[in-house]
Amino acid sequence: MELTRRTALAAGTAAAIAPLSRARAQANTIRVGVLTDMSGTYRDNTGPTSVACTREAVAEFGASHGFTVEVVEADHQNRPDVGSNIARQWYDQGVDVIVDVPTSSVGLAVNQIAREKNKAYLNVGSATADMTGPACSPNTIHWAYDTYMLAKSTGGAMVRAGGDSWFFITADYAFGHALERDNANFVRAAGGRVLGQVRTPFPGTTDFSSFLVQAAAARPKVIGLANAGADTANCVKQAAEFGITRRGIKLAALLLFVNDVQGIGLQTAQGLVCTESFYWNMNDKTRAWTQRIIRRTPTNYPNMIHAGCYSATLHFLKTVAAMGVPAAKASGVELINRMKATPSEDDCFGTGTIRADGRRLIPSFLFEVKAPAESSGPWDFYKLLQTTPANEAFRPISEGGCSLVRS
């Protein structure tokens, strides 16, 4: 697969990619590849809006730094083999960094390829906390969120509220397994019980009725939805149809985005709790930034993954400018090390640091979905319940088992 010719220069205008044989032009061009889900379960939560946010970062970075920036995009179809092939070919053809990559099985595969090729990888969409644990790499930074953070914030709050018996409905791949594992650990640590779990095929499942009936039959206080995107939305809608919550069973949407709430509707989603590290309506800066993004994607507001793609790309470009293009292209490890050593700052997340294991530290916010009468307008869906500071939101670095961390 050749590089797509849809590009963005630092000034934000379209231009043709110079032929690969033109080494001089190549040497002065930084290529950013957005590898994402353009057509599947996670399209609204990543996909075109991840691309738009990456392009916004390039446009805001500007054209006065002595090099041009091109953005290429591709759909990995939530398949590790497809994602691996695209990543390998992109790196071989001059892509300098890959951004986003939802679906943890795909993200873990790209993580390994970036290490083999000594290129940079800014993981935003893949949630597995293993990315900064056993699978940590000197070529990778993990932005925005992970399964440990979600479990500590959302799962931990449910247990404290009395939800001490759980049954999990889990997407059967790396992300779902990690989300179930991390939440189950918090439940048990708090003295709760896990009554069971059922694994649902991924991708392609739309009818969750039999899984919901099996979960309800165990009579848990909480059914934990260890899935995301359309799968979570379908579970919530179908649970409402079966009257599961009317039986006193609570639903814990362990990864829920503002885009999912839009699809489910406030009438059905009201009362759900969820965790994000970004909400468009948090403050003046996030609201102003969101207005810039919805000019590009008017039907879809940004979530923490979209904001993460913008934030990670902007920090990457600032680092390239500080290092110089030749040095940035020479070694993904050196580029990532420089990014770790430099505090990042932007309108989405404010100022933050990156740990040695590649974890970008960001506060996490526990939200409750508003009732329809509480919403003041379009996409006004969340009310803030609690904030976990950045230095407490993620797994302690000493507990991850990352080989980059010296004891």
Side-chain angles (χ1 to χ4, degrees):
M1 186 191 76
E2 294 184 356
L3 289 168
T4 174
R5 290 183 178 267
R6 281 175 285 185
T7 65
L9 292 179
T13 57
I17 295 178
L20 292 178
S21 60
R22 292 172 60 182
R24 184 174 180 180
Q26 290 283 308
N28 205 39
T29 299
I30 291 292
R31 289 189 173 84
V32 179
V34 187
L35 187 56
T36 189
D37 178 3
M38 299 294 284
S39 58
T41 300
Y42 305 141
R43 182 184 189 277
D44 289 343
N45 293 334
T46 60
T49 308
S50 288
V51 176
C53 290
T54 303
R55 292 187 183 281
E56 179 65 22
V58 172
E60 290 183 21
F61 178 70
S64 61
H65 301 278
F67 61 94
T68 58
V69 184
E70 296 172 353
V71 176
V72 297
E73 64 192 70
D75 184 354
H76 62 40
Q77 302 171 43
N78 295 307
R79 291 173 51 188
D81 58 335
V82 174
S84 295
N85 287 337
I86 294 169
R88 201 175 292 278
Q89 291 176 35
W90 269 1
Y91 283 143
D92 287 345
Q93 295 177 8
V95 167
D96 298 291
V97 64
I98 291 178
V99 181
D100 197 7
V101 198
T103 310
S104 293
S105 53
V106 184
L108 289 168
V110 173
N111 180 58
Q112 182 60 35
I113 293 167
R115 188 167 192 165
E116 292 172 4
K117 300 287 185 180
N118 194 18
K119 292 282 192 173
Y121 170 35
L122 304 180
N123 173 65
V124 185
S126 294
T128 177
D130 290 351
M131 199 76 72
T132 54
C136 73
S137 163
N139 296 78
T140 299
I141 294 174
H142 196 168
W143 227 268
Y145 77 117
D146 64 26
T147 54
Y148 183 97
M149 165 199 147
L150 297 169
K152 181 173 184 178
S153 180
T154 306
M158 298 291 285
V159 175
R160 290 192 297 273
D164 57 4
S165 62
W166 286 59
F167 192 103
F168 290 95
I169 296 177
T170 302
D172 193 12
Y173 76 105
F175 155 71
H177 298 171
L179 191 55
E180 177 194 311
R181 175 200 67 205
D182 291 341
N183 273 273
N185 287 341
F186 275 103
V187 170
R188 294 188 182 106
R193 295 177 298 149
V194 175
L195 304 181
Q197 65 281 318
V198 60
R199 302 286 169 81
T200 63
F202 179 86
T205 305
T206 57
D207 184 359
F208 291 87
S209 56
S210 64
F211 306 118
L212 287 162
V213 168
Q214 184 177 339
R219 298 187 178 182
K221 292 182 180 178
V222 179
I223 295 176
L225 304 178
N227 51 23
D231 289 355
T232 300
N234 284 330
C235 281
V236 173
K237 290 176 183 177
Q238 291 166 28
E241 292 170 6
F242 279 91
I244 286 176
T245 55
R246 290 197 297 272
R247 304 180 205 176
I249 299 173
K250 295 185 179 295
L251 293 181
L254 302 176
L255 179 54
L256 186 78
F257 296 99
V258 69
N259 320 83
D260 300 318
V261 178
Q262 172 73 1
I264 296 167
L266 283 182
Q267 188 63 44
T268 300
Q270 61 182 305
L272 287 172
V273 294
C274 64
T275 295
E276 292 209 51
S277 58
F278 168 86
Y279 177 44
W280 73 270
N281 205 16
M282 284 289 286
N283 53 55
D284 288 343
K285 286 186 176 181
T286 58
R287 285 187 284 270
W289 179 81
T290 297
Q291 289 304 309
R292 302 198 295 272
I293 297 303
I294 61 175
R295 286 197 291 266
R296 296 176 179 267
T297 59
T299 62
N300 199 45
Y301 272 49
N303 60 35
M304 63 181 169
I305 292 179
H306 302 137
C309 289
Y310 164 88
S311 174
T313 301
L314 189 60
H315 187 53
F316 165 80
L317 293 174
K318 290 177 180 177
T319 305
V320 171
M323 292 180 69
V325 172
K329 282 180 170 290
S331 170
V333 170
E334 292 304 315
L335 176 58
I336 292 296
N337 283 341
R338 187 70 170 265
M339 290 182 70
K340 290 177 180 178
T342 308
S344 72
E345 184 174 6
D346 55 74
D347 289 345
C348 297
F349 301 110
T351 302
T353 58
I354 303 166
R355 295 191 316 202
D357 60 354
R359 175 71 264 163
R360 203 291 194 181
L361 297 179
I362 301 170
S364 66
F365 306 108
L366 182 69
F367 296 108
E368 182 179 319
V369 178
K370 292 180 176 181
E374 297 175 300
S375 177
S376 63
W379 295 84
D380 178 33
F381 295 154
Y382 290 160
K383 51 187 176 184
L384 180 64
L385 298 181
Q386 69 180 41
T387 300
T388 304
N391 63 343
E392 299 176 15
F394 296 92
R395 179 181 56 212
I397 193 170
S398 61
E399 297 177 9
C402 173
S403 60
L404 304 176
V405 178
R406 294 193 178 100
S407 58

